[in-house]
Amino acid sequence: MSQTNRGRAQDRARVAAGQDHEVRYEADKEGVSKADVKDAVHEVGNSRNKVEQKLEEGR
């Protein structure tokens, strides 16, 4: 895991549904709405790979 400027660990393999910037990034990346990303996180958990797979299934 990489570290932030403040020394905190970053986990880029996770999508935090409560973090608007992460949800917005994933929505823009996948071409879906923020609500779709949040729904996917609630269904499959916060693993970025699983969320992306779930969003691709819905297309």
Side-chain angles (χ1 to χ4, degrees):
M1 254 187 262
S2 63
Q3 298 249 323
T4 66
N5 292 337
R6 293 182 172 190
R8 296 181 182 142
Q10 287 182 324
D11 192 355
R12 299 193 186 272
R14 305 276 177 230
V15 177
Q19 297 290 322
D20 188 59
H21 63 278
E22 288 193 27
V23 174
R24 189 175 347 110
Y25 169 80
E26 198 63 40
D28 290 343
K29 180 180 169 187
E30 295 295 325
V32 298
S33 70
K34 292 191 306 184
D36 290 339
V37 174
K38 287 182 179 184
D39 289 344
V41 170
H42 290 295
E43 285 185 39
V44 299
N46 65 351
S47 166
R48 189 170 303 275
N49 288 335
K50 288 181 181 180
V51 170
E52 289 174 358
Q53 286 175 354
K54 179 69 177 172
L55 292 171
E56 288 175 7
E57 286 176 7
R59 290 185 183 174

